[in-house]
Structure formats: structure tokens, C-alpha cells
Amino acid sequence: ARFLITDLAYKRQQEVISLYVGKSGAMELKQCQMIVEKALQAGHWVHLHAVHDCPDILLNLLVSINGAKVMNSNFRLWLSCEPVDTFPLSGSAVVFEDLHRLSSRY
């Protein structure tokens, strides 16, 4: 997924920031959240790898994006995960749906 997103960003002349979030600690998650918040305003793309290892980040990102005062219309948030039994699909579906709804507003 990373190469597809990178190629698409290159073709559209967009800056993309790729972050591995799998099994991150609280400090790394806070840094990730700050990067996403800056990208929201600047209109950059963010690709988060391995969200299946850190599903808590989805709710945190939803809160950050929903609370954003300014969102650049070029902003994109790409999430990639592995199909694993421990990934909370039912709860994630709601978060993904909300993220999609929010992104369609801008």
C-alpha cells in the first residue's frame, strides 16, 4: 500500500508522510497525532502503516479531525492494516465511516 500511495502522491505533486504506528507507545502516538494535525492544515497526505497493531489511534484521530478548526481540502489520511483477528472490525468500521464523512465535507 505504501508504494501505491507514494506513487499517487508523486503524480499529484502532493507531499506524503508515511508513519509506522504498530505497537507504538503513548509518546509516539502523540507525535503521530501532532503530525496529522499539521498535515490537516497544510494539505499534506499522511499514510499510517500497521494500524491493526494500534487500533486506539483511530478514535484519537477521529477526535482530532472532528475538532479541527481548519482543514485543507488537499489533506488525505490513508490507513493500512493487516487482516488479524485482534483488530476490532466493528468499532473500526464506525471510525472509518466517520473519517470518510468528515473528509467529504472538505
Side-chain angles (χ1 to χ4, degrees), residues 3 9 30 39 46 58 61 68 78 82-84:
F3 298 114
K30 187 67 177 168
V46 178
L58 299 176
L61 289 174
W78 304 89
E82 297 291 327
V84 294

Side-chain angles (χ1 to χ4, degrees), residues 42 59 70 72 75:
L59 184 58
V70 175
N72 187 305
F75 171 73

Side-chain angles (χ1 to χ4, degrees), residues 24-93:
S24 296
M27 188 151 101
E28 291 87 358
L29 292 179
K30 187 67 177 168
Q31 289 173 337
C32 177
Q33 193 169 349
M34 288 173 38
I35 289 169
V36 170
E37 288 171 3
K38 287 180 183 178
L40 269 167
Q41 297 171 4
H44 300 307
W45 292 8
V46 178
H47 175 218
L48 303 180
H49 303 270
V51 294
H52 62 280
D53 281 335
C54 192
D56 294 340
I57 196 168
L58 299 176
L59 184 58
N60 292 340
L61 289 174
L62 178 62
V63 169
S64 292
I65 292 170
N66 198 23
K69 294 177 181 154
V70 175
M71 183 184 291
N72 187 305
S73 62
N74 291 323
F75 171 73
R76 299 291 183 274
L77 178 61
W78 304 89
L79 307 171
S80 62
C81 65
E82 297 291 327
V84 294
D85 294 336
T86 58
F87 193 68
L89 295 177
S90 61
S92 298

